[in-house]
Short mmCIF file of all heavy atoms in Angstrom, two decimals:
data_model
loop_
_atom_site.label_atom_id
_atom_site.label_comp_id
_atom_site.label_asym_id
_atom_site.label_seq_id
_atom_site.Cartn_x
_atom_site.Cartn_y
_atom_site.Cartn_z
N ASP P 107 -7.19 9.61 40.83
CA ASP P 107 -8.23 8.59 40.75
C ASP P 107 -8.66 8.23 39.34
O ASP P 107 -9.69 7.60 39.14
CB ASP P 107 -9.47 9.05 41.53
CG ASP P 107 -9.17 9.20 43.01
OD1 ASP P 107 -8.45 8.33 43.54
OD2 ASP P 107 -9.62 10.18 43.63
N PHE P 108 -7.90 8.65 38.36
CA PHE P 108 -8.32 8.40 36.97
C PHE P 108 -7.12 7.99 36.13
O PHE P 108 -6.12 8.71 36.08
CB PHE P 108 -8.95 9.69 36.41
CG PHE P 108 -9.51 9.55 35.03
CD1 PHE P 108 -10.68 8.84 34.79
CD2 PHE P 108 -8.85 10.12 33.94
CE1 PHE P 108 -11.19 8.70 33.51
CE2 PHE P 108 -9.37 9.99 32.65
CZ PHE P 108 -10.53 9.28 32.44
N ASP P 109 -7.21 6.80 35.52
CA ASP P 109 -6.12 6.38 34.64
C ASP P 109 -6.58 6.52 33.20
O ASP P 109 -7.78 6.56 32.92
CB ASP P 109 -5.71 4.93 34.91
CG ASP P 109 -4.32 4.62 34.33
OD1 ASP P 109 -3.58 5.58 34.00
OD2 ASP P 109 -3.98 3.43 34.21
N ALA P 110 -5.63 6.64 32.30
CA ALA P 110 -5.96 6.80 30.88
C ALA P 110 -4.93 6.06 30.05
O ALA P 110 -3.76 6.41 30.04
CB ALA P 110 -5.97 8.28 30.52
N TYR P 111 -5.39 5.02 29.36
CA TYR P 111 -4.52 4.34 28.41
C TYR P 111 -4.59 5.03 27.05
O TYR P 111 -3.74 4.83 26.20
CB TYR P 111 -4.92 2.88 28.25
CG TYR P 111 -4.53 1.96 29.39
CD1 TYR P 111 -5.29 0.83 29.68
CD2 TYR P 111 -3.39 2.20 30.15
CE1 TYR P 111 -4.94 -0.03 30.70
CE2 TYR P 111 -3.04 1.34 31.19
CZ TYR P 111 -3.81 0.23 31.45
OH TYR P 111 -3.48 -0.63 32.46
N SER P 112 -5.64 5.80 26.85
CA SER P 112 -5.80 6.50 25.57
C SER P 112 -5.40 7.97 25.72
O SER P 112 -5.76 8.62 26.70
CB SER P 112 -7.26 6.43 25.12
OG SER P 112 -7.50 7.40 24.12
N GLY P 113 -4.69 8.45 24.73
CA GLY P 113 -4.31 9.86 24.70
C GLY P 113 -5.50 10.79 24.55
O GLY P 113 -5.37 12.01 24.72
N PHE P 114 -6.67 10.22 24.22
CA PHE P 114 -7.87 11.05 24.09
C PHE P 114 -8.61 11.22 25.42
O PHE P 114 -9.42 12.14 25.56
CB PHE P 114 -8.83 10.41 23.07
CG PHE P 114 -8.33 10.49 21.65
CD1 PHE P 114 -7.75 9.39 21.04
CD2 PHE P 114 -8.43 11.66 20.91
CE1 PHE P 114 -7.27 9.45 19.72
CE2 PHE P 114 -7.98 11.75 19.60
CZ PHE P 114 -7.39 10.63 19.01
N GLN P 115 -8.35 10.31 26.38
CA GLN P 115 -9.12 10.31 27.63
C GLN P 115 -8.70 11.44 28.56
O GLN P 115 -7.55 11.50 29.02
CB GLN P 115 -8.91 9.00 28.37
CG GLN P 115 -9.72 7.84 27.83
CD GLN P 115 -9.48 6.59 28.65
OE1 GLN P 115 -8.39 6.04 28.66
NE2 GLN P 115 -10.50 6.13 29.35
N GLY P 116 -9.64 12.32 28.85
CA GLY P 116 -9.37 13.40 29.79
C GLY P 116 -8.39 14.43 29.27
O GLY P 116 -7.77 15.15 30.05
N THR P 117 -8.22 14.51 27.95
CA THR P 117 -7.27 15.46 27.36
C THR P 117 -7.94 16.31 26.28
O THR P 117 -9.09 16.07 25.90
CB THR P 117 -6.08 14.73 26.69
OG1 THR P 117 -6.52 14.14 25.46
CG2 THR P 117 -5.49 13.66 27.60
N VAL P 118 -7.19 17.27 25.75
CA VAL P 118 -7.72 18.12 24.69
C VAL P 118 -7.28 17.64 23.30
O VAL P 118 -7.41 18.35 22.31
CB VAL P 118 -7.27 19.59 24.88
CG1 VAL P 118 -7.92 20.18 26.12
CG2 VAL P 118 -5.76 19.73 24.93
N LEU P 119 -6.77 16.40 23.22
CA LEU P 119 -6.24 15.91 21.94
C LEU P 119 -7.28 15.97 20.81
O LEU P 119 -6.99 16.51 19.73
CB LEU P 119 -5.73 14.47 22.12
CG LEU P 119 -5.17 13.77 20.89
CD1 LEU P 119 -4.06 14.58 20.23
CD2 LEU P 119 -4.66 12.36 21.24
N ASP P 120 -8.48 15.46 21.06
CA ASP P 120 -9.51 15.48 20.03
C ASP P 120 -9.84 16.91 19.59
O ASP P 120 -9.94 17.20 18.39
CB ASP P 120 -10.77 14.77 20.55
CG ASP P 120 -11.88 14.69 19.52
OD1 ASP P 120 -11.60 14.33 18.36
OD2 ASP P 120 -13.04 15.01 19.86
N LYS P 121 -9.95 17.79 20.55
CA LYS P 121 -10.26 19.19 20.28
C LYS P 121 -9.17 19.84 19.40
O LYS P 121 -9.47 20.54 18.42
CB LYS P 121 -10.35 19.91 21.62
CG LYS P 121 -11.07 21.24 21.60
CD LYS P 121 -11.17 21.74 23.06
CE LYS P 121 -11.00 23.24 23.12
NZ LYS P 121 -12.15 23.98 22.61
N LEU P 122 -7.92 19.59 19.74
CA LEU P 122 -6.82 20.17 18.97
C LEU P 122 -6.79 19.62 17.55
O LEU P 122 -6.55 20.36 16.59
CB LEU P 122 -5.47 19.90 19.67
CG LEU P 122 -5.24 20.61 21.00
CD1 LEU P 122 -3.96 20.12 21.66
CD2 LEU P 122 -5.19 22.12 20.80
N LEU P 123 -7.05 18.34 17.40
CA LEU P 123 -7.07 17.73 16.07
C LEU P 123 -8.21 18.31 15.25
O LEU P 123 -8.04 18.68 14.08
CB LEU P 123 -7.23 16.21 16.18
CG LEU P 123 -6.03 15.44 16.74
CD1 LEU P 123 -6.43 13.99 17.06
CD2 LEU P 123 -4.85 15.46 15.77
N ARG P 124 -9.38 18.39 15.87
CA ARG P 124 -10.57 18.87 15.15
C ARG P 124 -10.41 20.32 14.71
O ARG P 124 -10.77 20.67 13.59
CB ARG P 124 -11.82 18.72 16.02
CG ARG P 124 -12.22 17.26 16.18
CD ARG P 124 -13.18 17.08 17.34
NE ARG P 124 -14.43 17.77 17.08
CZ ARG P 124 -15.47 17.21 16.48
NH1 ARG P 124 -15.40 15.95 16.11
NH2 ARG P 124 -16.57 17.89 16.28
N GLU P 125 -9.87 21.14 15.59
CA GLU P 125 -9.79 22.56 15.21
C GLU P 125 -8.76 22.78 14.12
O GLU P 125 -8.75 23.80 13.45
CB GLU P 125 -9.62 23.47 16.42
CG GLU P 125 -8.26 23.59 16.99
CD GLU P 125 -8.24 24.44 18.27
OE1 GLU P 125 -9.28 24.96 18.69
OE2 GLU P 125 -7.16 24.55 18.85
N ARG P 126 -7.88 21.77 13.90
CA ARG P 126 -6.92 21.84 12.80
C ARG P 126 -7.43 21.11 11.56
O ARG P 126 -6.71 20.99 10.56
CB ARG P 126 -5.58 21.28 13.26
CG ARG P 126 -4.84 22.30 14.09
CD ARG P 126 -3.72 21.75 14.90
NE ARG P 126 -3.15 22.86 15.67
CZ ARG P 126 -3.73 23.41 16.74
NH1 ARG P 126 -4.87 22.93 17.21
NH2 ARG P 126 -3.19 24.43 17.35
N GLY P 127 -8.63 20.56 11.63
CA GLY P 127 -9.21 19.89 10.47
C GLY P 127 -8.60 18.53 10.18
O GLY P 127 -8.73 18.00 9.07
N VAL P 128 -7.94 17.96 11.19
CA VAL P 128 -7.28 16.66 10.97
C VAL P 128 -8.33 15.56 10.78
O VAL P 128 -9.32 15.50 11.52
CB VAL P 128 -6.34 16.32 12.16
CG1 VAL P 128 -5.82 14.89 12.04
CG2 VAL P 128 -5.19 17.32 12.23
N LYS P 129 -8.10 14.74 9.75
CA LYS P 129 -9.01 13.62 9.46
C LYS P 129 -8.34 12.27 9.64
O LYS P 129 -9.00 11.26 9.84
CB LYS P 129 -9.53 13.72 8.01
CG LYS P 129 -10.27 15.01 7.70
CD LYS P 129 -11.61 15.06 8.39
CE LYS P 129 -12.36 16.34 8.02
NZ LYS P 129 -13.29 16.73 9.08
#
Side-chain angles (χ1 to χ4, degrees):
D107 296 320
F108 184 73
D109 198 16
Y111 285 151
S112 163
F114 290 101
Q115 281 181 294
T117 74
V118 293
L119 179 55
D120 182 47
K121 198 175 143 73
L122 292 173
L123 290 169
R124 289 164 64 91
E125 80 185 358
R126 282 163 182 75
V128 172
K129 302 289 182 207

